[in-house]
Amino acid sequence: MMHENYKVIKPKHGLIAIDFKELWQYRELFWFLALRDILVRYKQTVIGIAWALIQPILTMIVFSAIFGYLAKLPSDGVPYPIMVYTALLPWQFFAHSMSSSSQSVVGNAGIIQKIYFPRLIIPTSAVISGFIDFCVSFMVLIGMMAWYRIMPTGNMIFLPFFLLLAFMSALAVGLWLSALNVEFRDVFYIVPFLVQAGQYLSPVAYSSSIIPKKVLYLYSLNPMVGVINGFRWSILGTAAPNWYCIGISFVSVLIIFVGGLYYFKKMEKTFADII
Amino acid sequence: MNKPMISIRDIGKKYLLGVGGGERYKALRDVIANSVKKIFRGKASKESLKQIWALKNLSFDVKRGEKIGIIGSNGAGKSTLLKLISCITEPTEGEIHLRGRVSSLLEVGTGFHPELTGKENIFMNAAILGMRKAEVKRKYDEIVAFAEVEKFLSTPVKRYSSGMYVRLAFAVAAHLESEILIVDEVLAVGDTAFQKKCLGKMENVTKEGRTVLIVSHNMPLILNFCQRTVLLDKGKMVSDGKTSDIVQQYLSMARSGSGEVVWKNSEDAPGNDIVRLRSVRIFQDDKTSSTANVDISKDISIEISYWNFTNDVSLFAAIQLHDKMGTVVFCSSSHKSISSMYDGWYGRLYPAGLFRSVCSLPKNFLNEGMYSVTAIVGRAVADTQIMEKNVVVFNVNDTGEMRKEFYGGWAGVIRPRLAWQTQKIT
C-alpha cells in the first residue's frame, strides 16, 4: 500500500507542473503571509491601515488639480476626481502589489533557506496583501459616489472580472520580477521606474479617450489599460470600452502570466542556493 | 509498513562557486558582459566556475521511529543533507524516498517575525511549517504551556529573550503532527532545564512512532538521544552505526590526531578582536612535541596559546575536559583560588602579545580512554571570550602501572591513586 505522504525527491528537468494539491494543502499560508505583510506594514505607525486611504486620496487631489483643473483634460462626463479615483484604485493595487511581490522572495530569504513550502505562495500572498489595501481604499470610492450622487450601474457585475484581471497582471509581473530578483538584484532599481512610467502609460490621471486611434492597440498591450477602462466602465457607466483593447490587454496579461509561472517554476528550485 | 521512512539513494548535491568563492549575486551587467564574451570566444567562460560537491554518493535508510544522529565537522554536508530531505533545495543526482510528512526545526525562530506578537507568531510559524489552523488551535494551549511564555503572548517577539524565542520556536515545531522531524543544532541555546524538556518531548515523539533526525556538534546530546549515528566528512559517508562507536570515531578524527591544533591563518582561529586562539596542544615529558597518546603514569600538560590584541586587560585561561561520553570530567582555570600553583600572570594587566597558559594534570589521575579538551580564554573574572569545544582529543594509555596485582579494566571516569591504610582493630 502506498503511504499517503509518499514523496520522491529527485532532480527535475523540463516543464514543471504546478502541484495544485500541495498548494491546496498550504492554502492557509497564502492568507497568513498576506496578513503578516499587512500587520507588519502598519505596526508602529500612528494611523495604521488608514494609510491605505490617505495615499490614494492625496494622489487623487494632486492629479485632479493638475490634469483636471489646470490642464483641463476631458473627463468623459463624470467629475474629474472620481474619474481619477476609479483608476487609482486598480493602479495603486497593481503598483503596490507588483513592487512588494517583486521583493517578496528575496525578502523571505530566511524562510526559503530553512523551510519548504510551495514558493508560489510568496509572490501571490504579496498580491493578496495589496488586495486587502485595495478593499480598504475602495470604501472611499463608495463615499465619493454618494457625495457626487452617482448611482452604480448594472455594469457593476463585470467588476470582478476586471478585478481578477488586475490581480493577474500584478501577479504576472510579480512572478517575473520576484524570480529575476533572486539572481539579479538590479530588479530593485527597475521596479520604481516601472511604477513611474506605468502610471503615465496607463490612463490613470487622464481618460484613454485622448489616446490617438493610431497607437490605441499598441497602447492596449499594457494590461492596466484594459483593467482601468473596465473599472471606469463598470463603476461609473462611462462609454463602453473598446472591446478590442480589452481583448488585447487580456491576451497580453495571459502571456506575461503564463511566462511568469513557467520562469518562476523553473527558477524556484535554485532559490535556496543562490538567494 | 516496515518500509524505511526515509531512503536516501546515491544522493549528490553540486554547488557552483565563482572564483574566490565570494560571488553571491549576479548583476545583469555581468551576464550581459559574459554573453558578449561568449559570442567572441564561442564558449561560456565556464572555467571561472568551480564545482563543489557538498554531498556525493550518499545512501542510507532510516526506519520508522528511529532517532538518528548526523555528525561531522563543518562543511561535511550535514546541513545540505537536511536541506535535501526537507525539500529546500534540489539534489543534483540521486533520489530520496520519504514516507511521511517532514517538518524541520532548523535554527532558532526561522519564520518568526520580530514585529509580530508571540500569539501571531505561533499561528504564522505553524502555517509556514505546514500546520493547519485547526490543528494549531487544538494544540495552542499545549504549545504555550510548553514554551512557558503565557505572560508574553501579546508582546512582539522582538522583545523576547533569546531563551523565550527558542522555547517558542521549539514548542511550535515539536507539536507538528509530522512523521519525520528534522532538528538542526537548536538546543545549543536555552537553559539546561529546557533542553531536558525538549529531549523528553523528542523522546515521546519517537515513542509515538515518529522519526527524528538530529544534526549536532553536541556529542552528549547525540550520545544520549540517538541509537544510530551517521558520520559525514567532506560530503561523503564515513561510517554509519551504533552511536557510541561513531562518536568515538568522530572525536578521534576531529581536528587533529596529533594532540595539537594550530591555526596558521589567524582569521580562521576562534576568537575575536580581543583575544584569538593560536594553538592548543597536549604534551608530556618532551615539551617540544605534542602527542595524542599519553602515558597514564606521567603528567599531562595542556597548553593554550592565544593572542591578546589589547593592552592592559586581565585575562584567564581555562579548560573543560570531557570523556568520550561527553560528560564533563572537570573544569579548571588559572584563577588564583583555583590553580594549585600561583600563576604569575594572574591578576596582572596583560600587554598585547602572544601568551601561553599550561595546565598540568597529575599522573595516575585520568582513567584510560579518550578525552577531549574545551579551551576557554576570558577577561576579568567570568567574561568568557573564547570557548572552543573539543579542540583537541587525546587518548590515555594504560601502561599497567596500576595493574600489577590484577589485570581487568578499571571502571570510572578518573582513576586517581589514593591513599589506603588498613588496621587491625581487634
Side-chain angles (χ1 to χ4, degrees), chain B residues 144-185:
Chain B
V144 172
F146 190 89
E148 301 165 26
V149 292
E150 291 92 339
K151 285 183 207 153
F152 308 101
L153 283 172
S154 42
T155 312
V157 296
K158 64 179 175 185
R159 311 217 193 286
Y160 276 32
S161 72
S162 58
M164 286 155 70
Y165 218 88
V166 192
R167 291 209 296 272
L168 194 61
F170 184 87
V172 177
H175 287 85
L176 274 174
E177 277 170 351
S178 59
E179 288 87 357
I180 302 164
L181 181 64
I182 291 179
V183 184
D184 187 1
E185 205 70 81

Side-chain angles (χ1 to χ4, degrees), chain B residues 125-154:
Chain B
N125 203 234
I128 293 177
L129 290 168
M131 221 192 290
R132 296 278 160 69
K133 203 173 169 187
E135 202 179 325
V136 192
K137 274 198 178 139
R138 193 152 34 83
K139 296 195 164 174
Y140 182 75
D141 293 332
E142 214 181 313
I143 293 173
V144 172
F146 190 89
E148 301 165 26
V149 292
E150 291 92 339
K151 285 183 207 153
F152 308 101
L153 283 172
S154 42

Side-chain angles (χ1 to χ4, degrees), chain B residues 57-199:
Chain B
N57 295 334
L58 186 72
S59 304
F60 66 91
D61 284 348
V62 183
K63 290 198 284 282
R64 191 181 156 79
E66 208 170 15
K67 292 174 284 188
I68 181 161
I70 299 180
I71 59 174
S73 46
N74 292 332
K78 305 181 298 284
S79 300
T80 306
L81 176 62
L82 293 195
K83 277 186 181 173
L84 290 172
I85 295 175
S86 48
C87 252
I88 290 165
T89 178
E90 191 178 61
T92 313
E93 55 181 40
E95 288 181 3
I96 301 175
H97 297 252
L98 298 172
R99 288 182 179 79
R101 214 166 97 181
V102 177
S103 66
S104 27
L105 182 56
L106 309 150
E107 250 175 55
V108 181
T110 306
F112 271 22
H113 199 288
E115 294 287 348
L116 300 183
T117 67
K119 186 177 176 178
E120 286 163 346
N121 265 309
I122 291 179
F123 282 94
M124 181 68 221
N125 203 234
I128 293 177
L129 290 168
M131 221 192 290
R132 296 278 160 69
K133 203 173 169 187
E135 202 179 325
V136 192
K137 274 198 178 139
R138 193 152 34 83
K139 296 195 164 174
Y140 182 75
D141 293 332
E142 214 181 313
I143 293 173
V144 172
F146 190 89
E148 301 165 26
V149 292
E150 291 92 339
K151 285 183 207 153
F152 308 101
L153 283 172
S154 42
T155 312
V157 296
K158 64 179 175 185
R159 311 217 193 286
Y160 276 32
S161 72
S162 58
M164 286 155 70
Y165 218 88
V166 192
R167 291 209 296 272
L168 194 61
F170 184 87
V172 177
H175 287 85
L176 274 174
E177 277 170 351
S178 59
E179 288 87 357
I180 302 164
L181 181 64
I182 291 179
V183 184
D184 187 1
E185 205 70 81
V186 259
L187 299 176
V189 221
D191 52 39
T192 340
F194 186 72
Q195 286 186 7
K196 276 213 175 107
K197 199 166 154 186
C198 294
L199 285 178

Side-chain angles (χ1 to χ4, degrees), chain A residues 193-261:
Chain A
F193 170 75
L194 276 182
V195 170
Q196 208 176 23
Q199 188 156 42
Y200 294 106
L201 289 172
S202 314
V204 179
Y206 53 87
S207 156
S208 60
S209 56
I210 62 169
I211 299 296
K213 274 263 153 35
K214 271 189 289 186
V215 291
L216 192 59
Y217 292 144
L218 185 68
Y219 179 69
S220 302
L221 279 176
N222 170 3
M224 290 314 284
V225 170
V227 171
I228 291 173
N229 284 337
F231 257 70
R232 287 200 174 126
W233 170 70
S234 51
I235 294 173
L236 302 174
T238 48
N242 182 333
W243 291 102
Y244 279 116
C245 294
I246 302 247
I248 292 172
S249 291
F250 184 68
V251 171
S252 153
V253 173
L254 264 188
I255 291 170
I256 304 174
F257 185 73
V258 172
L261 265 182

Side-chain angles (χ1 to χ4, degrees), chain B residues 30-318:
Chain B
D30 303 336
V31 174
I32 295 167
N34 278 340
S35 322
V36 173
K37 273 187 212 155
K38 212 162 38 175
I39 296 166
F40 287 109
R41 280 208 224 125
K43 61 174 181 179
S45 51
K46 271 264 164 63
E47 314 92 71
S48 65
L49 292 175
K50 209 168 99 192
Q51 296 180 357
I52 295 268
W53 284 93
L55 274 180
K56 185 86 178 143
N57 295 334
L58 186 72
S59 304
F60 66 91
D61 284 348
V62 183
K63 290 198 284 282
R64 191 181 156 79
E66 208 170 15
K67 292 174 284 188
I68 181 161
I70 299 180
I71 59 174
S73 46
N74 292 332
K78 305 181 298 284
S79 300
T80 306
L81 176 62
L82 293 195
K83 277 186 181 173
L84 290 172
I85 295 175
S86 48
C87 252
I88 290 165
T89 178
E90 191 178 61
T92 313
E93 55 181 40
E95 288 181 3
I96 301 175
H97 297 252
L98 298 172
R99 288 182 179 79
R101 214 166 97 181
V102 177
S103 66
S104 27
L105 182 56
L106 309 150
E107 250 175 55
V108 181
T110 306
F112 271 22
H113 199 288
E115 294 287 348
L116 300 183
T117 67
K119 186 177 176 178
E120 286 163 346
N121 265 309
I122 291 179
F123 282 94
M124 181 68 221
N125 203 234
I128 293 177
L129 290 168
M131 221 192 290
R132 296 278 160 69
K133 203 173 169 187
E135 202 179 325
V136 192
K137 274 198 178 139
R138 193 152 34 83
K139 296 195 164 174
Y140 182 75
D141 293 332
E142 214 181 313
I143 293 173
V144 172
F146 190 89
E148 301 165 26
V149 292
E150 291 92 339
K151 285 183 207 153
F152 308 101
L153 283 172
S154 42
T155 312
V157 296
K158 64 179 175 185
R159 311 217 193 286
Y160 276 32
S161 72
S162 58
M164 286 155 70
Y165 218 88
V166 192
R167 291 209 296 272
L168 194 61
F170 184 87
V172 177
H175 287 85
L176 274 174
E177 277 170 351
S178 59
E179 288 87 357
I180 302 164
L181 181 64
I182 291 179
V183 184
D184 187 1
E185 205 70 81
V186 259
L187 299 176
V189 221
D191 52 39
T192 340
F194 186 72
Q195 286 186 7
K196 276 213 175 107
K197 199 166 154 186
C198 294
L199 285 178
K201 177 75 194 175
M202 290 204 281
E203 200 74 56
N204 287 336
V205 159
T206 45
K207 273 193 197 120
E208 289 160 15
R210 289 157 68 184
T211 309
V212 181
L213 258 93
I214 300 185
V215 160
S216 184
H217 287 287
N218 182 346
M219 291 304 133
L221 173 83
I222 298 276
L223 280 161
N224 283 320
F225 194 70
C226 308
Q227 307 97 332
R228 186 180 148 206
T229 296
V230 169
L231 172 58
L232 300 180
D233 189 45
K234 298 190 184 90
K236 296 202 174 70
M237 184 191 287
V238 178
S239 51
D240 172 2
K242 219 179 109 203
T243 298
S244 51
D245 300 342
I246 307 292
V247 168
Q248 189 146 2
Q249 188 186 358
Y250 168 62
L251 286 180
S252 61
M253 226 173 76
R255 303 282 173 109
S256 66
S258 60
E260 176 182 45
V261 55
V262 181
W263 286 274
K264 293 201 179 75
N265 196 343
S266 71
E267 284 121 54
D268 304 337
N272 49 34
D273 295 342
I274 301 163
V275 279
R276 206 172 273 285
L277 283 184
R278 182 176 163 270
S279 66
V280 178
R281 60 190 200 102
I282 312 290
F283 61 88
Q284 286 194 295
D285 298 338
D286 183 3
K287 281 187 179 145
T288 53
S289 78
S290 53
T291 173
N293 286 299
V294 300
D295 184 340
I296 199 166
S297 61
K298 288 174 183 158
D299 292 351
I300 305 164
S301 299
I302 301 173
E303 178 200 86
I304 305 174
S305 306
Y306 47 95
W307 291 98
N308 172 34
F309 297 122
T310 45
N311 274 316
D312 300 332
V313 281
S314 54
L315 297 175
F316 72 90

